[in-house]
């Protein structure tokens, strides 16, 4: 689930910059723009709307658990909204996550997706899937797309040692939309 992009003077940065996270990861969501008051809002998988409980200035700090999975965005005190991003927390401590960008990728840009374990960041012999179709078995453990096109948009997941990551949606935006 992903809310549409909106034209806004507000933006949200996620660190580390990836959709999927392990449980007990430290994740920061930072609101940026010319506003003094911020809140980070979340729409959870079960349909509840909530605000970040651990705000420090314009940054929400999360020590991830499965309940942190959801759609996040920033809202200023004057009602400006950032674009929304998905955050998925993987519940299986032994399974892989797909490392993919939080924000849409611009057509023509390059992007790298990888598969990671909590205990091992660089993996080899990884299978990558796009919309449930096997697209690459990479001994390097990385899927590189040198010039992203609209056809690259969709759901991605990885498989390592018979275990699959959750799938994540990778959005592709046109070059004319770069400033969104």
């Amino acid at each position: 689930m992903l809310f549409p992009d909106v034209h806004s003077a507000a933006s949200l940065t996620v660190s580390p910059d990836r959709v999927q996270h392990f449980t007990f990861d430290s994740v920061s969501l930072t609101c940026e723009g010319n506003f003094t008051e911020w809140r980070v809002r979340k729409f959870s998988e079960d349909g509840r709307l909530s605000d970040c409980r651990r705000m420090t200035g314009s940054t929400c700090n999360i020590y991830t658990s499965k309940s942190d999975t959801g759609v996040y965005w920033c809202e200023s005190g004057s009602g400006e909204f950032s674009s929304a991003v998905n955050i998925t927390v993987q519940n299986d401590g032994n399974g892989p996550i797909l490392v993919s960008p939080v924000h849409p990728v611009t057509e023509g840009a390059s992007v790298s997706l990888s598969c990671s374990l909590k205990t091992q960041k660089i993996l080899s012999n990884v299978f990558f899937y796009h919309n449930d179709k096997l697209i690459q078995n990479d001994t390097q453990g990385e899927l590189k797309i040198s010039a992203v096109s609209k056809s690259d948009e969709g759901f991605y997941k990885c498989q390592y040692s018979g275990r699959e990551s959750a799938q994540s949606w990778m959005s592709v935006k046109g070059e004319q939309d770069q400033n969104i």
Side-chain angles (χ1 to χ4, degrees):
M1 113 182 87
L2 183 64
F3 293 164
D5 263 356
V6 290
H7 295 270
S8 175
S11 63
L12 172 62
T13 302
V14 179
S15 180
D17 180 16
R18 62 180 193 240
V19 174
Q20 296 183 20
H21 300 270
F22 297 105
T23 51
F24 309 117
D25 275 355
S26 177
V27 178
S28 297
L29 297 96
T30 302
C31 301
E32 295 169 343
N34 292 327
F35 306 100
T36 53
E37 277 184 52
W38 289 106
R39 67 179 170 175
V40 172
R41 309 207 78 190
K42 176 182 81 171
F43 190 72
S44 63
E45 286 183 304
D46 61 5
R48 286 186 296 167
L49 179 65
S50 60
D51 292 338
C52 176
R53 296 182 305 276
R54 295 177 59 197
M55 288 290 293
T56 306
S58 62
T59 300
C60 171
N61 298 296
I62 302 170
Y63 194 54
T64 57
S65 67
K66 183 64 178 158
S67 66
D68 292 314
T69 293
V71 178
Y72 290 80
W73 68 95
C74 291
E75 188 177 322
S76 74
S78 56
E80 287 280 336
F81 295 88
S82 70
S83 295
V85 300
N86 286 304
I87 297 289
T88 302
V89 180
Q90 188 251 53
N91 214 15
D92 175 6
N94 299 316
I97 62 167
L98 176 74
V99 178
S100 62
V102 167
H103 292 290
V105 180
T106 303
E107 275 186 295
S110 64
V111 68
S112 291
L113 308 181
S114 62
C115 204
S116 178
L117 294 175
K118 193 165 183 76
T119 56
Q120 191 178 351
K121 301 299 179 207
I122 300 167
L123 305 174
S124 57
N125 297 319
V126 174
F127 294 90
F128 290 96
Y129 295 83
H130 178 223
N131 295 328
D132 281 327
K133 181 182 174 188
L134 178 65
I135 54 170
Q136 185 174 319
N137 175 11
D138 190 353
T139 57
Q140 301 302 311
E142 190 172 43
L143 173 65
K144 291 183 181 181
I145 304 171
S146 56
V148 172
S149 68
K150 200 67 177 164
S151 65
D152 294 312
E153 187 168 82
F155 286 103
Y156 286 83
K157 65 182 175 183
C158 64
Q159 184 184 61
Y160 175 74
S161 290
R163 302 184 81 142
E164 284 187 357
S165 70
Q167 59 180 11
S168 288
W169 178 264
M170 186 176 80
S171 254
V172 176
K173 63 181 180 177
E175 290 182 60
Q176 69 278 9
D177 301 327
Q178 284 191 91
N179 296 327
I180 293 177

